[in-house]
Amino acid sequence: MDKTIVFYCILFILIGEFILATVMNYLNAKRFKDPIPAEVADVFNAEEYKKSQAYKLTNYKFGIFTSVFSLLLILAFLLFGGFAWVDHVAQNQSDNTIIQALIFFGIIMIGSDILNLPFSYYQTFVIEEKFGFNKTTTTTFFIDKLKQWLMTIIVGGLILSLVIWFFQWAGTNFWLYTWAVVTVFILFMNLFYSKLIVPLFNKQQPLEAGSLKSKIESYAAEVGFDLKNIFVINGSKRSTKANAYFSGFGKEKRVTLYDTLINDLEEEEIVAVLAHEIGHYKRKHIIYNLAASVLLTGVMLLILSLFINNPEVSLAIGVDRPSFHAALIGFGILYSPISEITGLLMNHFSRKFEYEADDYAKHTYAALPLVASLKKLSKNSLSNLTPHPAYVFMHYSHPPLIDRIRNLKA
Ligand SMILES: [Zn+2]
């Protein structure tokens, strides 16, 4: 393999993915003005519908702008020796390969995040603000960023150091040890994310005693679900958009409801949302998702181990000496078409799981309150009621509203 061929593969992948994403966005945007299907005609009134169209269009245009910027940035970095420059900086700081890798990735990740900062600032304080979603302050916004960086530096730094240490110690078998560590990490995060990470960003409290809690408890008892942890999180600190999610398993399983969800929905509708979340657990979706991410990580690491000793993978990104960290960047881009495909599969199963969870709520509770809650949630987030099927196939982890309603009413 020649490094020039690998270099052209990298360019081809970056530009190909950009074109594919742009075409998908364009197809989707062409449907923004489609007539709304009868089943969901009552989601918006005329004025809200206009607002939702404006919201979709604004995000579409902004998306074109940011994706062009990202593509140009990485192409410029590749073509004008950006990676070689960062690699030199890292080499000048230390002779230790682990420290060099930490500096290399630290500069690239923090640097690209800083370059993207104006875009996420604009998204939050101009677009979300204009459409009435934003509740966050600039202080919260920047403190969030700092916390995210700190977490990335600590967790990412630790994992990266371990991987390189495994590589130095076990050669290409490093992937097996890395896989074991990452698997433990994935399981640990699923169990304790809500306890350890969420409190860094949000306040959460057990759901207060009252009619909602007793309705939820009587439903949970009816379906034989041992639910001790129902938490309410202050999502309203950042956005008016509402959500609910399930996490953990065994004793650590918990349902988290956004305060915005509790404000927006009637009690029956909240119980229906909860029934849907419990459906995910009862149908073992949590376990399947965990197993899938562990498996996909293993496949990726195995393929990485086959590529890591090819100096061309490093040299193709423009550095002048091969290294583990440079090879990781090259591999990351070369692997992205595969991760696009596994992403499609994951989305496919995720949409299937959504129907199953909806069915569970329909059979053990009722369909109509869930329909009502889905409509309200769509209305309050100005969501797209007429997405293009190809776009749904590629990007949607949840089926479009209309399909979920048809399934619930069937
Ligand atoms: Zn769901």
Side-chain angles (χ1 to χ4, degrees), residues 276 280 354 398:
H276 168 99
H280 279 308
E354 290 306 316
H398 288 57

Side-chain angles (χ1 to χ4, degrees), residues 244 276-277 280 350 353-354 357-358 398 404:
H276 168 99
E277 297 304 329
H280 279 308
S350 173
F353 290 169
E354 290 306 316
D358 280 351
H398 288 57
R404 288 181 75 177

Side-chain angles (χ1 to χ4, degrees), residues 338-376:
I338 301 179
S339 68
E340 293 259 356
I341 293 168
T342 58
L344 286 180
L345 272 172
M346 290 293 270
N347 274 339
H348 169 81
F349 282 107
S350 173
R351 291 192 300 269
K352 191 170 166 298
F353 290 169
E354 290 306 316
Y355 285 127
E356 288 181 15
D358 280 351
D359 287 342
Y360 184 85
K362 175 164 90 172
H363 294 131
T364 60
Y365 190 65
L368 288 182
L370 189 54
V371 170
S373 72
L374 292 175
K375 281 183 177 176
K376 273 191 192 171

Side-chain angles (χ1 to χ4, degrees), residues 83 87 101 104-105 308 313-315 317 319 321-332:
F83 290 111
D87 194 32
F104 182 81
F105 276 107
I308 199 74
V313 180
S314 291
L315 299 175
I317 66 162
V319 295
R321 55 139 217 175
S323 64
F324 191 90
H325 55 259
L328 269 187
I329 296 270
F331 176 78

